[in-house]
Structure formats: structure tokens, C-alpha cells
Amino acid sequence: MTVIDDSGPMVRAEQVHKSFGRTEVLKGIDLEVRSGEVMCVIGPSGSGKSTFLRCINHLEKIDAGRLWVNGHLVGYREKGGKLYELRDREVSAQRREIGMVFQRFNLFPHMTALGNVMEAPLRVKKEPKAAAREKALALLERVGLGDKCDNYPGQLSGGQQQRVAIARALAMEPRLMLFDEPTSALDPELVGEVLDVMKSLALDGMTMIVVTHEIGFAREVGDSLVFMDDGVVVEKGVPREVLNDPSHPRTQDFLSKVL
Amino acid sequence: MTVTPDAEKGRPEAIRAVPVRHPGRWASAAVVLVLAAMFVHFLITNAAFDWAEQWKYLFSDPVLKAVRNTIWLTAAAMVGGVLLGVGLALMRLSPNPLLNGAAWLYLWFFRGTPLYTQLLIWGSIGALIPSVGVGIPFGPEFQTWETQKLVNAALAASLGLILNEAAYMAEIVRAGIVSVDKGQQEASSALGMSRLLTMRRIVLPQAMRVIVPPTGNEAISMLKNTSLVAAIPYLELTFTAQTIYASTYKIIPMLIMACLWYLFLSSIMMIGQFYLERHFGRSDRDAGGRRGRPRLRGLGRGEGGAA
């Protein structure tokens, strides 16, 4: 459903490993996400899908393997066969290309919706205030919250907060959007409004990786579906095929529980 | 299974019940009134207060100078204490165990010994450290000064209060920073904000809600703790009252007069604290603003954190 160009992958993961203490959470992830692709990641809790997402923008450091976003190695520079850690400033610069939406929204509670969306363009990109404000207003309008600009997060419903969070991420004009269970903390009747915004984003050609439990969204909007379990990618393919005819017994077992 | 309101019955009449009587409230109010009347009578008739003597000195030059000293000492101690305290708090939160350990040791000493004793030591600092100099550690010194001349009473008093206050402020600031949800830092990082920017724009403004109320209390405590620098000695309000009654022998009037000044100053600080808390409580605003704005009347009853 999406136009996919083939100028190299947006995200490439090669044998990504990650441990917390003695527990190995990621046991060698190999994945490619092409520009414009919407990849949905499903799997039982504790399967490592959120951790993998957080590795992509270096919120977590990987222990082994390689991760590239838009052709750049995430968190490191490779020179003469040696890896050098990037400085905080360089990591921050990399993250500006990548928007992230969290399960618990993580809006800044002491700023209005407009303030939340304007903050990073204003302070990080040093955009002039008038331009940042105009762009933020347009983004809030786009997620259907043009009338809530002056509200503080505490005055908004969960669905509205999550839509502000999406606008806030978009304000940095990222090339890739990461969604970490964006609807899991929402009341059931508020899930639809957030999924609608994500769907329109997908239709506009944004590259997205969505960790989710919304099988319907994965089926309808996703270009590819990944099933993760116990730190590995068990199955990957076209959503309809994976969902209707899973080839791996673990996938079958998981789907029989959630569908 | 649908429930439909019984329209025919209409709305029942409003409840008009006899309210519960509270005889206990009336009795306790009467007791309080009688006690208050007795207290006013005591204030007026007890000659020991000698209100005329107090009035004579209330705005006298030495007392006004002492009030000024008390104010600047409080301000200096709080400003210095907060700045040093933020530094110590960041050290305590540092992943470097040496910085963390050094800060811990500092807190251990300054919170584990009485302020009065610390101030007595500052009063005799020349005996502990006869001279200070600039030079290479354990090596030659380029310039030395005699401590007794360098550290006068005012400097000793403010240093003593600052070093002590910093230990308490460090814990308050640390608690404030730790109280901010980790997700806030993650969201800032994900937006490409640097650590310093995140601290300044996101974490500290939210930490202020936790930091401001106890800091206001610290400032009001500090106003009163300045009286302890009589140990050095330094001419602040209490020590000045003492020097006056040393020659007039009217002890109670001078001490009550000092109390009046302390009450006046602490009242002003409580009002300031109220407005500061309201400013930093912004994110408390919930849907529809049901909670409303806190009112000044709540001051001193604990709900504003002022008590």
C-alpha cells in the first residue's frame, strides 16, 4: 500500500545482542526496514521488542552486532576496524532523525500542548519562534487538536496526550518514527483516534516501526510484520500471510491467544 | 433489560433534614475564647513586658543594624547553601564513586554535628587553621595570610551557615531531581536534547515543585538559625538584644522585641513562599482546573507546605 523506494534500507540490524545484567534480552536480531515501510512488531511481553526499538535510537546500548539508521552506524563511528563511541552531542544529532512515541506519552507536564511541540525545534534546532509556533500549530491541527494548543497535558485525555506526543515527535521532521506500544496505556474507546493518526502518517509515506498489540492495525496498515519471541525474530513476512497462515509453531501459539 | 427513568413520578422533593447539633464545638470555642481573653489581659497587665522600653529600642540604630545583618546573613546563607547544595546533589547523583563518596562524607559530617558547635569552631577558626595560603599542595606556598585577620566575624558567620545549609539543601535538591519521572529524560533524549538542556528545561522545572516547599521552610529556619551565630560572636538580632540588656538589665523586653522582628520577617518570607509555590505548581492543573488556585489563607496550616 506504500510506495517503497530502494535507495538502501532506513534501518539495518545485524546480529544485534543486548543483555541486562545476566539476562540476554536480544539474541541476534537481523532486520531491514526500507524507506517508507511500515513494520509492525508483535510478540509476547518480555520478548525484547521494546528493547530492540530503544536500541535503534540508542536509548539502550547494544552489546554486540551492528545497527545502522539511514546508513549511519548508531552510537559509534568505525574507523580502521575499530569502534569509537560517539560523544553525547553526536548521539543527540543522530536522534534528531528519529522520532519516538512512548507507551506512557512522556509529555512535559509543565508545558502546554503547544509548548511541548515547540520545545525541541526551538531549543535544539534553534528555529525562530514564529516559525516554530506556526509549524507546531499546523502539526496539532493535523492530529486533530487545533483547539487544545493551550491545554496542559493534565487537562487532556490519554488519546489526546498521545496525539500531542506524535505531533511533538513530528516537529523535529524525523525520517523514521518509532512507536513503543502507543495504545497500550489507553482506555479502549481512545485507541482508535491514535491509530487513525498513525495510519494517516503511514499513508504519507513515513517510515515507521510499530511495536503493538493491535493486530488489526498491523494487518491493515503494516507493510511487514515481525513476530519476536525470547529475543529472536521468529517469523517475518507480509502481515496478512503471517497472521492467516503462520509457519512457526510459536507464532501459531501466540496468535491463537490474541486473535 | 433497559432501565428507563420513571418520568411520571417526577423529581422527588428536596431533602430538608434537621442538621446534627455540635455542642462540643460550642464548648471548645468558649474555652478558646476565655483563654484568648486571659492571654490578652496578661499581655496588657504584665509589667515585665515593658512595652515602652521595647518601643524605645524597636527602631533604634543598633537594632536596625542588627536586623540588616540578620537579613543579609539569611540571604547569603541560603544563596550559598543552595548553590553549594546543587553541586553536592549532582555529585551524589554522579556515577563516579569518588565524587559520590566525597559528597556523602560531607553530608555525614555537617548533618551529624550540631550547628551551634560548628559555629563555635568557626569562632575559633584561627586556632584550628592559623594561616591559609596559595601554593602547590604539600609543596611550597606562594602567599600566606593569617586566618584570624582574613576571616572576620561576618565571614565566619556566613561560612558556618552556608556549609551547614548546603548539606541539607543537597538532599532536598537530590530528592527533587530523583522525583522526576525517568520517562521525561528519555523523551528529551529522543528529541535530541542534550543532557544540560534536559536538566535546565525539563528536569529542574519539574523538580522545583518538590524542591521549593522544603527550601522555603529551610529559609525560614535559617532566619531563626542566624541567632546561633551569637556563638562567634556576630552582631545579629539576638546577640544585639543581649548586648542591650547587658547594660539595661531589661531582659524580657529586649528578647520579646527580637521576637517581634523575627515574626515580621518570617511572615514576609511565608508570603513569598506562597507565591513561589503557586508559580511552580503549574503542572498540577488538572482537567477543568477543579482544584483551583491555592489561597493564601491556607498558609501556615501545612497544606501550602509553609507550616
Side-chain angles (χ1 to χ4, degrees):
Chain A
M1 77 188 312
T2 319
V3 186
I4 293 169
D5 77 18
D6 37 24
S7 57
M10 180 61 82
V11 178
R12 188 148 73 94
E14 240 179 53
Q15 279 302 303
V16 169
H17 284 73
K18 170 73 188 173
S19 302
F20 291 117
R22 253 180 248 164
T23 348
E24 195 167 39
V25 186
L26 300 179
K27 302 171 178 171
I29 304 285
D30 290 297
L31 274 178
E32 264 194 31
V33 183
R34 286 155 302 161
S35 191
E37 182 177 340
V38 176
M39 178 191 273
C40 293
V41 184
I42 60 171
S45 57
S47 59
K49 42 194 202 310
S50 285
T51 303
F52 176 64
L53 204 66
R54 294 160 57 82
C55 288
I56 295 174
N57 66 354
H58 210 50
L59 281 181
E60 304 287 354
K61 265 187 198 171
I62 62 175
D63 299 326
R66 296 279 190 280
L67 239 173
W68 292 267
V69 170
N70 203 20
H72 301 291
L73 203 55
V74 173
Y76 302 93
R77 185 187 307 111
E78 200 160 23
K79 218 171 159 187
K82 254 181 117 176
L83 278 186
Y84 297 86
E85 266 187 38
L86 291 184
R87 294 166 185 284
D88 285 345
R89 193 157 35 84
E90 296 165 311
V91 173
S92 295
Q94 281 192 340
R95 286 181 178 140
R96 279 167 223 169
E97 303 254 286
I98 309 167
M100 186 159 188
V101 175
F102 300 85
Q103 183 179 350
R104 307 275 331 275
F105 328 136
N106 296 352
L107 289 179
F108 307 135
H110 57 301
M111 297 178 186
T112 61
L114 188 65
N116 267 278
V117 181
M118 282 171 67
E119 180 67 13
L122 212 58
R123 309 276 163 183
V124 178
K125 277 192 173 173
K126 316 267 184 210
E127 287 178 14
K129 195 165 182 181
R133 189 185 155 81
E134 200 170 318
K135 190 172 71 181
L137 284 171
L139 280 168
L140 283 169
E141 193 69 49
R142 178 176 172 185
V143 298
L145 294 171
D147 55 335
K148 301 284 183 194
C149 294
D150 296 325
N151 287 45
Y152 285 86
Q155 300 167 322
L156 300 172
S157 74
Q160 291 170 333
Q161 288 191 53
Q162 192 61 298
R163 285 187 280 153
V164 173
I166 293 174
R168 178 177 69 174
L170 291 176
M172 289 299 278
E173 289 159 356
R175 312 186 53 152
L176 167 69
M177 284 285 282
L178 308 175
F179 292 87
D180 188 5
E181 304 199 21
T183 56
S184 296
L186 296 178
D187 290 338
E189 79 271 21
L190 302 176
V191 169
E193 60 189 67
V194 173
L195 293 181
D196 285 345
V197 169
M198 291 166 62
K199 189 175 163 186
S200 84
L201 206 55
L203 288 172
D204 284 352
M206 175 64 78
T207 313
M208 294 162 59
I209 302 179
V210 185
V211 170
T212 186
H213 295 294
E214 296 293 329
I215 304 293
F217 177 85
R219 187 198 304 270
E220 191 192 346
V221 184
D223 297 303
S224 56
L225 181 67
V226 169
F227 173 68
M228 274 180 74
D229 192 14
D230 200 23
V232 293
V233 172
V234 176
E235 199 163 342
K236 184 189 171 185
V238 177
R240 204 166 295 274
E241 287 167 16
V242 176
L243 291 171
N244 294 349
D245 186 22
S247 57
H248 200 284
R250 272 148 86 185
T251 320
Q252 290 165 6
D253 184 46
F254 176 75
L255 288 175
S256 72
K257 284 175 189 154
V258 298
L259 283 182
Chain B
M1 222 14 231
T2 45
V3 185
T4 45
D6 222 338
E8 300 93 82
K9 282 188 188 164
R11 191 172 185 276
E13 69 171 308
I15 290 173
R16 272 190 218 94
V18 180
V20 176
R21 306 292 180 202
H22 297 284
R25 287 186 194 171
W26 289 103
S28 50
V31 170
V32 169
L33 273 177
V34 170
L35 286 175
M38 285 170 69
F39 183 66
V40 171
H41 179 75
F42 167 74
L43 284 181
I44 295 170
T45 57
N46 192 326
F49 281 117
D50 201 344
W51 297 104
E53 173 79 1
Q54 289 192 40
W55 180 251
K56 194 170 118 197
Y57 281 100
L58 190 61
F59 297 109
S60 66
D61 281 344
V63 170
L64 286 181
K65 185 165 182 292
V67 169
R68 271 200 298 278
N69 281 347
T70 293
I71 291 173
W72 87 252
L73 203 55
T74 306
M78 282 315 293
V79 170
V82 167
L83 290 178
L84 193 55
V86 169
L88 284 165
L90 293 177
M91 279 170 75
R92 286 280 281 148
L93 292 168
S94 153
N96 183 338
L98 214 65
L99 287 182
N100 186 343
W104 184 88
L105 216 76
Y106 182 98
L107 302 196
W108 174 73
F109 177 79
F110 281 96
R111 297 206 307 171
T113 54
L115 175 57
Y116 188 71
T117 315
Q118 291 172 23
L119 288 168
L120 282 172
I121 294 175
W122 278 102
S124 318
I125 193 69
L128 179 67
I129 309 164
S131 67
V132 287
V134 181
I136 299 160
F138 305 109
E141 290 196 344
F142 306 133
Q143 178 73 276
T144 51
W145 297 274
E146 236 181 289
T147 313
Q148 207 63 57
K149 284 180 186 161
L150 192 68
V151 182
N152 59 22
L155 190 59
S158 45
L159 277 177
L161 292 175
I162 285 172
L163 294 193
N164 183 262
E165 184 57 29
Y168 289 91
M169 281 311 303
E171 286 301 275
I172 291 174
V173 172
R174 188 173 75 104
I177 292 175
V178 169
S179 77
V180 177
D181 181 26
K182 273 269 173 291
Q184 294 288 308
Q185 291 184 44
E186 288 190 349
S188 313
S189 299
L191 285 167
M193 295 171 74
S194 68
R195 261 187 234 184
L196 198 69
L197 189 63
T198 303
M199 204 32 103
R200 187 166 65 80
R201 292 284 306 169
I202 308 300
V203 176
L204 279 181
Q206 291 181 62
M208 287 309 251
R209 287 182 50 210
V210 174
I211 294 173
V212 166
T215 303
N217 291 342
E218 286 293 308
I220 291 165
S221 296
M222 180 55 73
L223 173 73
K224 294 170 287 180
N225 282 344
T226 54
S227 65
L228 294 177
V229 304
I232 286 187
Y234 178 66
L235 273 173
E236 46 65 59
L237 202 43
T238 301
F239 189 59
T240 302
Q242 285 176 321
T243 54
I244 294 173
Y245 70 63
S247 56
T248 63
Y249 301 108
K250 298 196 168 170
I251 299 173
I252 292 296
M254 283 307 98
L255 291 178
I256 297 293
M257 179 207 67
C259 282
L260 289 177
W261 269 114
Y262 283 121
L263 276 174
F264 172 70
L265 296 173
S266 59
S267 303
I268 291 177
M269 290 168 80
M270 282 178 184
I271 294 170
Q273 186 187 19
F274 168 80
Y275 283 104
L276 263 179
E277 274 177 33
R278 195 168 72 173
H279 177 75
F280 285 109
R282 270 179 306 181
S283 56
D284 263 358
R285 288 178 194 170
D286 55 348
R290 259 176 291 119
R291 181 179 296 190
R293 302 188 120 194
R295 281 172 299 172
L296 193 51
R297 210 146 47 86
L299 196 139
R301 263 194 242 147
E303 59 208 310

